[in-house]
Amino acid sequence: MIAMVLSYHSASAEIFKCIGKDSKTVYQAKPCQTSDKAVQLDIQANEGQESAAKARLQALESEQDAAKVARQEAERRDAMLKNQTESTNALKQSAIAQQQQVEAEQRQAAALERQAQQNNNRVMIVAPPTALPVMPAPVTTQILR
């Protein structure tokens, strides 16, 4: 109840319309001091208009919040798509590198096979050197007399 009373009093305020010597109109909360014309305005709050304005404000804030959430969701999707694209590119590069490695190994295997075939055509078997059997020295016997 006290809050309603305080809000009612705060809704109505004194506003002074001051017209200066240079013909400029100024609205202020204090009485005019040095003006040719001073008019006190009594402004009463229209609760119907005020509640409608608050409802419009809340609707606009809700729209803004929804747009912010949608923008954040779009940014999240974009970041996820970017990560997926980068992952896909990395996998492609890895696959290319692996394919190049396989091709290099195949070339190396083919070269080794060619070399083996060439070596098979020129096979020369060399027996390892063997030592001649050592003959025992002739045995001489002397008869003692």
Side-chain angles (χ1 to χ4, degrees):
M1 178 96 153
I2 294 173
M4 288 176 51
V5 170
L6 291 176
S7 67
Y8 176 73
H9 287 293
S10 65
S12 64
E14 291 184 333
I15 303 289
F16 296 93
K17 177 181 177 183
C18 304
I19 301 172
K21 292 180 181 178
D22 55 356
S23 298
K24 287 188 178 179
T25 302
V26 177
Y27 296 93
Q28 60 189 34
K30 301 179 201 172
C32 305
Q33 292 183 2
T34 59
S35 65
D36 295 333
K37 274 186 173 180
V39 178
Q40 180 177 354
L41 303 173
D42 187 22
I43 298 176
Q44 297 294 323
N46 182 340
E47 290 188 28
Q49 287 179 339
E50 189 174 334
S51 64
K54 284 182 181 179
R56 283 193 308 267
L57 177 63
Q58 286 178 341
L60 289 173
E61 287 174 344
S62 294
E63 284 179 30
Q64 188 177 19
D65 289 343
K68 182 179 179 181
V69 167
R71 186 174 53 252
Q72 289 173 341
E73 181 64 23
E75 288 172 356
R76 186 189 63 77
R77 280 192 312 264
D78 288 346
M80 191 166 47
L81 181 61
K82 182 180 177 184
N83 286 341
Q84 288 175 345
T85 302
E86 288 173 355
S87 262
T88 302
N89 288 340
L91 288 173
K92 284 179 184 177
Q93 291 298 323
S94 176
I96 289 170
Q98 287 177 351
Q99 181 64 31
Q100 289 172 344
Q101 184 178 2
V102 166
E103 290 171 357
E105 289 172 354
Q106 288 173 346
R107 285 191 302 272
Q108 184 179 12
L112 288 172
E113 188 175 320
R114 280 192 306 273
Q115 185 179 11
Q117 286 175 355
Q118 289 174 356
N119 287 343
N120 284 341
N121 292 340
R122 296 186 221 157
V123 173
M124 185 189 305
I125 299 175
V126 178
T130 58
L132 294 173
V134 178
M135 296 289 223
V139 178
T140 55
T141 56
Q142 290 182 343
I143 301 177
L144 296 172
R145 292 186 201 198

